[in-house]
Amino acid sequence: MAAVAPRVFVSHLAGVAVFDPNGDQVGRVRDLVAMLRVGRRPPRLLGLVVELSTRRRIFLPMTRVTGIESGQVITTGVLNVRRFEQRPTERLVIGEMLDRRVRLVDGGEEVTVLDVSVQQLPARRDWEIDRVFVRKGKGGAFRRNKGETLTVDWSAVDGFSLEEHGQGAENLLATFEQLRPADLANVLHHLSAKRRAEVAAALTNERLADVLEELPEDDQIEILGKLQEERAADVLEEMDPDDAADLLSELPEEDKERLLALMQPSDAADVRRLMAYEEKTAGGLMTTEPIVLRPDATVADALARVRNPDLSPALAAQVYVCRPPDETPTGKYLGTIHFQRLLRDPPYTMVSSILDEDLQALAPDAQLPEIAGFFATYDMVAAPVVDESGSLLGAVTVDDVLDHMLPDDWREQEFHLGEAVGRAD
């Protein structure tokens, strides 16, 4: 008797590495593509959505998958690098099926889809979705009073082919909870507008702020516009001030002022200050929240501030020593200390004794070419911005410089991977 093919739950496939026959990794699984069929026949699994190292998403037909085992997917090595585009008859398994509310055929009870499993048909390369893991009662994976869970055959549920309003997002988010903000942003960008709004609504303010900073401008505006105004203001407060200023600058004046009025006064003041500068100047690019220390602080104090996990690596690369007040705009800017120097000196050393006083600061009206030249000349990842009175206004980081030097739509572009041919199924 032929051995039964193993069953794989799709939540275990999200983010799994994809390898060619030589053992070289070609990408990671981001979703599965299925086609619903008439009646209660299980959907056919067409293929995988694979994200390459360049963040381009391609379609990998199941006919080119030779194995799914031990947390990895093995392919034949033949890849079509044309960007994946979903067809009207296709369904994204992770993006569109998880968290969906469906009904049990036997009794008509409404349940929430937590996961689905796929299985290869005997003696064939075809795959089907064969089982559905559901929870009875309302709510998703994070309910306190969780209902009974059970696994049923595909034919035992009804409702996947219907358009659903208010679909949850808890299980989709649980599937991608380990992703970096930039990768989760890429997931959101490829979802439908309806699903994107549902996922955004389920994210915490802090997580959504991090993801918004990585999304293309059109997606940012779309998501912000679908939030309640009070929540939109809360999310803007969680964003880096320079990113919040860039986003608000794209909104109509009336909407911008209304959101600023709802923000905390101190956060709104930082954003307004940044919006006063031209976009591609040091003042327009800087963040107003660098690490600022007083002259009597020690190396130990500086390292404690650098350890803050909420700081980006670029901002944590150096600290700025200023006279009080030590919030931007500060008192007189005295100099910079690089992180490497902090590691070389005893913890009790006063920061005022190890300053790099020769590093020229940027003026707030410095233009983008001058800023880029500064980073290239001094091999820096962050640079202080100081006004004519000698006060530190903020710091420009290299990622913000790159954001504005690349084409406006760079987040939606992929590197050229060679000649692409039509998608083969």
Side-chain angles (χ1 to χ4, degrees):
M1 185 174 65
V4 177
R7 178 176 292 112
V8 182
F9 281 91
V10 300
S11 61
H12 298 162
L13 287 176
V16 163
V18 179
F19 295 90
D20 66 16
N22 297 323
D24 295 324
Q25 184 174 337
V26 296
R28 291 190 177 275
V29 176
R30 290 306 181 208
D31 216 318
L32 297 87
V33 183
M35 183 176 67
L36 299 179
R37 295 194 279 195
V38 296
R40 302 198 184 281
R41 296 177 62 197
R44 179 187 170 210
L45 188 64
L46 302 178
L48 309 176
V49 179
V50 176
E51 184 175 285
L52 305 179
S53 59
T54 58
R55 297 179 65 184
R56 175 190 289 263
R57 290 185 168 213
I58 66 169
F59 177 75
L60 176 64
M62 294 307 296
T63 53
R64 295 180 184 168
V65 174
T66 59
I68 298 177
E69 54 190 21
S70 302
Q72 62 185 9
V73 174
I74 309 298
T75 76
T76 61
V78 180
L79 295 179
N80 177 351
V81 297
R82 171 168 287 182
R83 184 175 62 187
F84 168 71
E85 293 184 4
Q86 186 179 358
R87 296 172 178 173
T89 57
E90 296 172 344
R91 296 291 182 271
L92 296 177
V93 178
I94 295 175
E96 297 176 2
M97 290 187 178
L98 299 194
D99 304 297
R100 192 175 184 87
R101 298 288 290 170
V102 297
R103 292 186 181 277
L104 296 175
V105 174
D106 186 8
E109 182 177 358
E110 196 172 58
V111 294
T112 300
V113 178
L114 303 182
D115 209 343
V116 299
S117 68
V118 297
Q119 190 171 38
Q120 189 173 12
L121 299 181
R124 297 172 59 187
R125 277 191 159 182
D126 286 347
W127 290 70
E128 288 182 342
I129 296 178
D130 65 337
R131 299 287 182 91
V132 186
F133 180 52
V134 300
R135 185 189 305 284
K136 292 184 177 181
K138 294 186 177 180
F142 302 136
R143 289 181 67 238
R144 289 185 178 179
N145 300 318
K146 297 181 177 180
E148 177 189 357
T149 59
L150 63 158
T151 302
V152 298
D153 289 336
W154 176 268
S155 60
V157 296
D158 192 17
F160 278 102
S161 60
L162 302 177
E163 181 66 23
E164 181 178 342
H165 300 283
Q167 184 178 354
E170 291 91 345
N171 297 292
L172 175 62
L173 292 177
T175 301
F176 291 115
E177 64 181 348
Q178 301 301 322
L179 291 182
R180 293 174 179 269
D183 295 325
L184 182 53
N186 201 27
V187 171
L188 259 67
H189 177 67
H190 288 86
L191 295 177
S192 66
K194 167 184 172 292
R195 197 72 173 112
R196 189 158 47 238
E198 290 164 349
V199 173
L203 291 169
T204 64
N205 291 344
E206 183 178 2
R207 181 72 159 157
L208 180 55
D210 290 340
V211 171
L212 278 178
E213 292 172 2
E214 304 295 338
L215 280 168
E217 183 181 287
D218 289 346
D219 289 344
Q220 290 182 335
I221 295 171
E222 173 200 302
I223 290 173
L224 197 71
K226 291 182 179 179
L227 301 178
Q228 294 282 343
E229 286 190 343
E230 291 78 6
R231 190 184 180 213
D234 292 341
V235 171
L236 287 166
E237 290 170 2
E238 294 289 345
M239 294 177 69
D240 289 339
D242 54 324
D243 290 308
D246 288 344
L247 175 51
L248 284 170
S249 296
E250 300 301 323
L251 302 181
E253 192 67 26
E254 182 179 333
D255 295 340
K256 176 173 61 181
E257 289 301 324
R258 190 163 57 248
L259 289 171
L260 284 167
L262 291 171
M263 294 173 66
Q264 292 292 329
S266 59
D267 293 318
D270 284 342
V271 173
R272 288 184 187 278
R273 183 151 56 92
L274 290 169
M275 292 172 65
Y277 296 103
E278 292 184 20
E279 181 182 6
K280 294 187 178 182
T281 63
L285 297 177
M286 69 183 179
T287 177
T288 57
E289 300 175 343
I291 302 176
V292 179
L293 296 170
R294 298 186 180 188
D296 58 352
T298 65
V299 166
D301 296 327
L303 288 173
R305 296 284 300 278
V306 167
R307 289 190 190 100
N308 182 351
D310 293 331
L311 286 174
S312 68
L315 276 182
Q318 55 200 49
V319 301
Y320 307 100
V321 179
C322 307
R323 299 202 181 279
D326 47 10
E327 291 187 1
T328 58
T330 67
K332 182 176 176 58
Y333 166 72
L334 301 176
T336 297
I337 307 175
H338 307 285
F339 173 64
Q340 234 181 9
R341 179 63 192 269
L342 292 173
L343 297 176
R344 293 199 297 262
D345 286 89
Y348 53 78
T349 305
M350 303 281 278
V351 294
S352 56
S353 68
I354 56 173
L355 290 176
D356 182 349
E357 301 173 291
D358 298 329
L359 182 68
Q360 194 74 20
L362 293 169
D365 59 355
Q367 299 293 313
L368 190 57
E370 179 184 347
I371 301 168
F374 177 95
F375 280 92
T377 300
Y378 299 108
D379 296 325
M380 304 291 288
V381 293
V385 181
V386 176
D387 65 12
E388 292 181 352
S389 69
S391 296
L392 180 72
L393 301 178
V396 177
T397 55
V398 68
D399 57 307
D400 289 320
V401 175
L402 289 173
D403 276 351
H404 288 78
M405 293 187 70
L406 291 166
D408 291 341
D409 61 347
W410 72 268
R411 293 186 188 278
E412 301 182 68
Q413 292 182 344
E414 283 86 9
F415 295 107
H416 179 66
L417 296 178
E419 183 178 356
V421 295
R423 173 169 144 189
D425 296 340

